[in-house]
Amino acid sequence: MAEPTVRMSGIVLASLMFQHVNSSSDVEGLILGESKFEEQITISDSQTDHIHIEEIYHVQKHIGCHKLNDFYSSVGDVNMDAVQKILADNKQENVIGWYRQRRNTEQQMTFREKLIHEKLKSALSNPHMIFMLLTTSKLTPPGSTHRMEYAAFVSRSRRFVNIPVLVNNLGLLDQLSYWKVSAPCSAVGFNLTMKKHSSRFFSSNGGLREVSEVNDMNESLQTELQKACRDVEESERLVESLQAEVSSLRKKLSEKKRSEAPPDGEPPEEKNNLLLHQAVRTLFSCSPLFHTQTLTLDGFPVANGCCSSEQEVSAAIHAQENRMSPPHPSRTNPRKRQRDVQPRRQKKRRKS
């Protein structure tokens, strides 16, 4: 049986990761490329020929859907019209699979994804299809560092197998060194030309100038990158310590509230903020909205509305009742009384 392998370029993988990071929800789409079988024959002394067949899926492009459940229904049935709309100008024969991007999940296919995969194989009449799963998770609590994992699956007799994914441009991290190769011929003209122009390209030690400059720039970039990594690590540790301190303070506050809370069945005591009352009276003493008025039993307003004691209230009510009582006859018209008194005095003067 052929061993399947997925090969893709770093540009395509970076594009998938970029789409996943810049989306607010899960993403899915179709994978375009080609699948072929490669046959490797190994000849050895013990065995004349050893044939190794490898099935390779070359991922060349991906097309994302505008929304989830775009080309299939809720029960997993594939809609070919929606698939053609997603493909647009691309050929249906170039579809070699589909992908799904999730967050904070394991690298395992769900039952629904397996059902959709089988129905997509039958709808496109392509038994050799792959499913790629990309998942992200936070490595640090502040969320400054994330981890991106990717895997590919194929179905063999209704059984899904995880297959390796090889990125073409991710090889050895060692720098490729440049060196000079001796010329195959030592003609006089060649030597003169090399001596004339070698000072522009080669340094005194025989190395290429551009390569040394590029190496110096690479070393400086690595130094700056390591410095930035240290700064990020220190900031993450500071944030973690602050978060731990905040959580401890919240815990202490909740415990304090629980201890001060009244027992069950007793209503909480009403507490008046005396400082707030004093400040409001000082600032809004002249405002009519904050004035109160005391009424008597008959519904008449009391003169002093801000009485603070029962004696003052009773005095105000007594004064109001005196106002409402009928006046004394001797006090009704003082002018008439003066007029009555004046003739008597005049009569007395005349008698005298």
Side-chain angles (χ1 to χ4, degrees), residues 68-332:
L68 295 175
N69 308 337
D70 195 8
F71 62 91
Y72 56 88
S73 62
S74 58
V75 295
D77 296 332
V78 178
N79 187 358
M80 291 304 300
D81 295 335
V83 172
Q84 291 295 337
K85 186 177 179 180
I86 296 172
L87 290 175
D89 298 335
N90 298 284
K91 296 181 180 180
Q92 181 178 338
E93 292 78 11
N94 295 333
V95 179
I96 60 173
W98 65 298
Y99 68 93
R100 184 74 181 267
Q101 299 172 351
R102 299 198 301 257
R103 285 180 170 83
N104 301 323
T105 58
E106 298 180 355
Q107 284 282 316
Q108 294 180 359
M109 293 183 65
T110 61
F111 178 77
R112 187 179 186 184
E113 291 171 351
K114 294 178 181 180
L115 181 63
I116 295 170
H117 186 79
E118 294 295 335
K119 292 189 176 182
L120 185 63
K121 285 169 57 178
S122 59
L124 297 178
S125 301
N126 185 5
H128 305 284
M129 294 191 67
I130 62 173
F131 172 74
M132 285 199 65
L133 178 62
L134 291 90
T135 59
T136 57
S137 59
K138 293 182 180 180
L139 285 179
T140 56
S144 60
T145 307
H146 293 74
R147 178 177 59 189
M148 173 72 74
E149 296 179 349
Y150 54 90
F153 299 89
V154 294
S155 61
R156 293 288 184 266
S157 301
R158 299 269 180 181
R159 182 181 179 183
F160 287 85
V161 182
N162 190 351
I163 60 177
V165 180
L166 302 179
V167 183
N168 296 335
N169 61 345
L170 292 181
L172 298 176
L173 298 179
D174 298 345
Q175 298 181 5
L176 298 177
S177 58
Y178 293 84
W179 62 88
K180 291 192 304 179
V181 181
S182 59
C185 60
S186 59
V188 178
F190 177 80
N191 294 332
L192 292 176
T193 305
M194 291 299 296
K195 289 180 180 180
K196 181 179 179 179
H197 299 282
S198 60
S199 60
R200 296 170 55 188
F201 302 100
F202 298 97
S203 59
S204 60
N205 57 358
L208 291 172
R209 288 186 175 181
E210 289 78 4
V211 174
S212 60
E213 293 176 358
V214 170
N215 290 332
D216 295 340
M217 183 181 67
N218 186 23
E219 291 178 358
S220 62
L221 288 175
Q222 291 294 330
T223 304
E224 294 295 331
L225 181 61
Q226 292 176 0
K227 183 180 178 181
C229 291
R230 287 193 295 268
D231 295 340
V232 171
E233 184 180 0
E234 292 177 359
S235 64
E236 287 183 357
R237 290 180 179 177
L238 180 61
V239 170
E240 289 178 358
S241 62
L242 292 176
Q243 287 181 348
E245 186 177 356
V246 168
S247 61
S248 63
L249 291 175
R250 287 179 177 175
K251 186 177 180 180
K252 291 181 181 178
L253 181 60
S254 61
E255 291 177 355
K256 185 177 180 181
K257 288 182 178 179
R258 291 176 183 174
S259 61
E260 293 180 355
D264 297 339
E266 295 184 2
E269 297 181 358
E270 296 183 357
K271 296 183 179 179
N272 295 329
N273 195 342
L274 301 179
L275 296 178
L276 179 60
H277 289 184
Q278 185 178 1
V280 170
R281 288 180 181 177
T282 304
L283 295 175
F284 305 101
S285 60
C286 299
S287 178
L289 297 176
F290 292 91
H291 286 176
T292 58
Q293 196 168 13
T294 305
L295 301 178
T296 62
L297 297 175
D298 298 331
F300 297 101
V302 180
N304 297 327
C306 300
C307 300
S308 58
S309 63
E310 295 181 357
Q311 296 178 358
E312 294 179 358
V313 173
S314 60
I317 295 172
H318 183 65
Q320 187 67 24
E321 290 177 352
N322 292 336
R323 290 180 183 178
M324 299 306 297
S325 61
H328 195 271
S330 62
R331 299 178 182 177
T332 54

